[in-house]
Amino acid sequence: MDQTLWYKDAVFYELSVRAFKDSNGDGHGDLRGLTEKLAYLQTLGVDCIWLMPIYPSPLRDDGYDIADYYNIAETFGTLDDFKTLIKEAHNRNIRVITDLVLNHTSDEHPWFKASRSDRNSPYRDYYVWSDTDQKYQDARIIFLDTEPSNWTWDEKTGQYYWHRFYASQPDLNFDNPKVQQEMMDIARFWLDLGIDGFRADAVPYLFEREGTNCENLPETHTYLKKLRAFMDENYPGRILLCEANQWPADVRPYFGDGDEFHMGFHFPIMPRIFMALKKGRADDMIDILNRTPAIPENCQWCIFLRNHDELTLEMVTEDERQWMWAQYAPEPRMKLNLGIRRRLAPLLDNDRRKIDLANSLLFTLPGSPIIYYGDEIGMGDNIELPDRNGVRTPMQWNAESGAGFSQATIQSFYAPIIDDQVYGSSRVNVEFQRKDLLSLWNIIRHMIAVRKRHHAFGRGEIEWVDCQNDRIAAFGRTHEGETILVLHNLSDAKQRVSLKIKGSVKSLTDLLTQKAFPFDNGNFDIGLDPYQYLWLK
Ligand code: GLC
């Protein structure tokens, strides 16, 4: 099989280095700590980890505000530690991708400091400056809760600068060829260190054009194609993963003719998985997948249940958003911008049946799955923390006072450990769950292992199946002569499933339990318990 297409079958795992494991007792996770935990990730079955930003940063946006693209933040370690991480990960057949933040820098980046020091600075044109704040009025504000405008006034030089995120994250000016080249050089630097690709952050916003919403512009695609060509030429097998929180039809161009991104997050399917679970019906999922255009053979969707940001509700209608907030964000603090800042387990009432079912959808719907660190053990969140920090708390390794995360005194942890009655680290932790064969961790590990034996999950077509019951999400995944019929009971009641199965098949076997379901005359008829799921071959 073509090894350069590894990402089509891979299981991804997103983590914050700060939150994962502290090796030197300063209360912040670091690269050496992560390196110690690679064995854990290998046991879970992870093929590729995505590291949130690891670069020096004033941390106004948890590292997505980069002050130096060529270094590692001091608390995380050194470039040598990074090289060791890559080597050790590769020894375990784990690939590593990192965040590449193209759109903006920190306002503490030397380019911006120079740019704002003087209108005649050679770096002035690295950013987007204007005499008026009336340009590009059709561009929406993304961080709605905090930013009144995409323009911020600079007192010293008497102009406004443009930013799509926090004011402390000025947008780079991609119309400047020097900026384009700088970003290419940065990509080269990290690829030379051996990484396997990038999760490219916030790509829709690279260019600005009057009279447009300044998203997904043709110029943006032209630049991204250049980046891809550069990678193909020099680093075959390394990937670009696209963060474009857009409708499927607008994400489609990011795959180009297989010459832009290898992968793209499927944002709209995510909230619809939560809708399906609440409504006990699959319609919304079916609808969005039907509206999802085909992508080139060498491309792949990336699907997720949660990530480090709020559960975004940008890709739903206004009515759906209000409904989702009412269902999943009953307390005002749970809302953030156009989303919900909660983790998977609390969103699903800590109900193992629903959490397992959601994971089963994650591992069987088209695309490569990404697990968000901590969700494999059902970690809780802390909505008292500001911004999105409540879903970025320390990983819970064991029941010790520091949760096995750090030897530092708890007071010096970068963020408090979850310590409530339900989700506290003395109850929810890796050590307990590894020993318990029925734990969420063991179920997820098992799903991953089974998934890996069948390319139909990563590569197969999907076909929705009518099983005479709209409480069931039933679909087939077919690839190279193998078909797997996946059934999910989305409801909290028992349901019957009746299907006509063509051909000479007389029995289906659940890949997860090896249980066989024999049937006669092509009439497959079974009952499913509340939230039960089957992966039938
Ligand atoms: C992406 C990141 C988010 C960050 C933003 C600005 O959306 O996922 O965490 O705040 O970009 O860089």
Side-chain angles (χ1 to χ4, degrees):
M1 191 168 293
D2 185 351
Q3 282 304 315
T4 60
L5 296 178
W6 61 271
Y7 50 92
K8 294 197 71 160
D9 307 298
V11 172
F12 289 73
Y13 187 97
E14 176 193 4
L15 66 91
S16 153
V17 172
R18 188 184 321 285
F20 210 55
K21 172 71 186 171
D22 171 19
S23 72
N24 63 356
D26 66 356
H28 292 248
D30 47 45
L31 293 171
R32 289 187 180 195
L34 170 56
T35 307
E36 283 171 31
K37 292 295 183 187
L38 288 169
Y40 165 81
L41 296 168
Q42 186 182 24
T43 310
L44 184 59
V46 169
D47 299 298
C48 181
I49 50 179
W50 150 28
L51 308 183
M52 288 166 61
I54 48 177
Y55 322 100
S57 161
L59 300 182
R60 306 263 158 64
D61 185 8
D62 206 6
Y64 284 93
D65 48 330
I66 299 175
D68 176 1
Y69 283 82
Y70 290 101
N71 222 326
I72 302 282
E74 230 179 279
T75 47
F76 293 157
T78 63
L79 281 167
D80 279 335
D81 294 337
F82 187 74
K83 287 184 208 158
T84 307
L85 168 72
I86 300 292
K87 200 172 106 221
E88 296 289 320
H90 287 171
N91 284 342
R92 295 180 183 277
N93 282 322
I94 296 177
R95 290 180 160 93
V96 182
I97 63 172
T98 57
D99 249 298
L100 178 65
V101 183
L102 298 165
N103 182 65
H104 46 265
T105 69
S106 159
D107 59 357
E108 293 189 21
H109 192 288
W111 297 338
F112 191 68
K113 287 188 181 164
S115 185
R116 80 185 318 176
S117 68
D118 183 350
R119 284 203 193 193
N120 297 315
S121 157
Y123 287 96
R124 186 67 172 179
D125 205 29
Y126 268 46
Y127 296 86
V128 182
W129 292 96
S130 160
D131 291 330
T132 124
D133 60 358
Q134 295 306 304
K135 282 166 86 175
Y136 315 135
Q137 287 301 302
D138 297 333
R140 70 194 164 112
I141 295 170
I142 297 167
F143 287 166
L144 275 171
D145 288 1
T146 40
E147 300 303 310
S149 165
N150 286 327
W151 291 106
T152 288
W153 176 248
D154 180 59
E155 200 62 56
K156 181 156 183 232
T157 56
Q159 278 189 315
Y160 295 90
Y161 65 89
W162 178 250
H163 54 89
R164 294 310 301 273
F165 296 92
Y166 289 126
S168 53
Q169 291 165 297
D171 272 38
L172 285 162
N173 174 20
F174 270 82
D175 277 319
N176 181 347
K178 283 192 194 141
V179 166
Q180 295 200 10
Q181 189 53 47
E182 295 274 14
M183 286 298 152
M184 225 56 114
D185 293 346
I186 288 163
R188 180 196 298 280
F189 176 80
W190 292 97
L191 291 163
D192 282 344
L193 287 176
I195 62 160
D196 298 283
F198 299 107
R199 178 258 191 192
D201 181 76
V203 289
Y205 319 111
L206 301 187
F207 287 81
E208 299 74 34
R209 290 291 179 265
E210 203 57 74
T212 74
N213 66 356
C214 300
E215 300 187 14
N216 314 320
L217 297 177
E219 293 83 352
T220 296
H221 290 291
T222 306
Y223 178 69
L224 293 167
K225 283 196 167 73
K226 268 195 238 166
L227 177 61
R228 168 65 181 267
F230 160 75
M231 282 178 61
D232 278 354
E233 196 183 334
N234 301 288
Y235 308 94
R238 324 272 187 106
I239 61 160
L240 280 171
L241 163 58
C242 173
E243 190 219 12
N245 188 352
Q246 303 283 333
W247 293 101
D250 296 322
V251 179
R252 176 63 190 82
Y254 287 96
F255 294 112
D257 297 321
D259 58 354
E260 205 169 314
F261 280 91
H262 302 78
M263 302 186 81
F265 290 112
H266 200 305
F267 274 92
I269 185 70
M270 182 275 296
R272 288 168 179 80
I273 294 175
F274 290 91
M275 289 182 196
L277 271 152
K278 215 31 128 183
K279 296 183 185 172
R281 302 170 63 95
D283 321 19
D284 300 302
M285 291 192 304
I286 298 176
D287 178 59
I288 201 73
L289 291 179
N290 285 342
R291 280 163 61 196
T292 300
I295 57 177
E297 199 48 41
N298 61 343
C299 296
Q300 176 71 315
W301 291 106
C302 208
I303 58 172
F304 60 99
L305 297 169
R306 288 295 294 109
N307 62 20
H308 65 290
D309 287 324
E310 67 275 28
L311 187 170
T312 160
L313 298 174
E314 276 155 284
M315 293 300 117
V316 298
T317 64
E318 180 57 33
D319 286 350
E320 289 170 330
R321 187 176 305 133
Q322 295 301 335
W323 184 86
M324 281 290 288
W325 272 330
Q327 300 296 326
Y328 286 108
E331 293 173 39
R333 272 199 75 86
M334 293 174 172
K335 291 187 189 173
L336 180 71
N337 298 316
L338 291 184
I340 303 172
R341 49 173 166 188
R342 301 182 72 194
R343 264 194 185 262
L344 183 65
L347 281 163
L348 299 181
D349 312 314
N350 206 25
D351 181 336
R352 267 297 299 285
R353 300 169 310 168
K354 295 185 206 168
I355 298 170
D356 291 11
L357 185 82
N359 276 291
S360 172
L361 287 164
L362 175 70
F363 290 115
T364 57
L365 285 170
S368 292
I370 291 210
I371 302 164
Y372 181 51
Y373 89 89
D375 281 349
E376 75 273 31
I377 53 168
M379 260 172 64
D381 50 40
N382 179 353
I383 56 167
E384 297 311 318
L385 298 178
D387 203 341
R388 291 147 288 175
N389 298 359
V391 300
R392 302 177 186 179
T393 61
M395 180 67 177
Q396 297 171 192
W397 295 103
N398 62 36
E400 287 164 25
S401 69
F405 161 70
S406 168
Q407 296 298 324
T409 53
I410 306 246
Q411 292 71 22
S412 52
F413 278 27
Y414 77 92
I417 309 177
I418 302 287
D419 68 352
D420 61 49
Q421 290 296 313
V422 180
Y423 301 101
S425 54
S426 59
R427 288 178 185 72
V428 176
N429 65 61
V430 170
E431 193 177 300
F432 285 179
Q433 293 203 16
R434 285 185 70 158
K435 287 189 204 139
D436 171 3
L437 285 181
L438 297 176
S439 69
L440 176 60
W441 189 86
N442 269 305
I443 295 295
I444 289 183
R445 180 179 177 220
H446 183 56
M447 286 188 198
I448 294 174
V450 172
R451 182 189 157 94
K452 284 193 180 168
R453 295 198 278 270
H454 302 274
H455 287 298
F457 293 117
R459 304 187 180 220
E461 299 298 320
I462 183 168
E463 193 188 342
W464 291 89
V465 177
D466 180 7
C467 62
Q468 312 291 318
N469 185 336
D470 62 10
R471 301 276 149 181
I472 307 291
F475 51 85
R477 301 295 317 276
T478 303
H479 181 68
E480 290 183 347
E482 181 181 46
T483 295
I484 298 163
L485 169 67
V486 189
L487 302 176
H488 292 97
N489 179 359
L490 301 169
S491 80
D492 58 1
K494 286 198 167 202
Q495 301 291 339
R496 284 221 78 79
V497 173
S498 301
L499 283 170
K500 269 273 178 225
I501 295 189
K502 287 185 223 124
S504 56
V505 183
K506 294 209 162 38
S507 168
L508 299 179
T509 303
D510 180 19
L511 294 172
L512 295 166
T513 58
Q514 293 306 320
K515 191 173 169 210
F517 296 86
F519 58 95
D520 287 326
N521 303 327
N523 295 315
F524 182 67
D525 194 328
I526 56 160
L528 288 184
D529 286 334
Y531 302 113
Q532 193 186 348
Y533 52 90
L534 294 170
W535 301 5
L536 297 167
K537 185 176 161 64

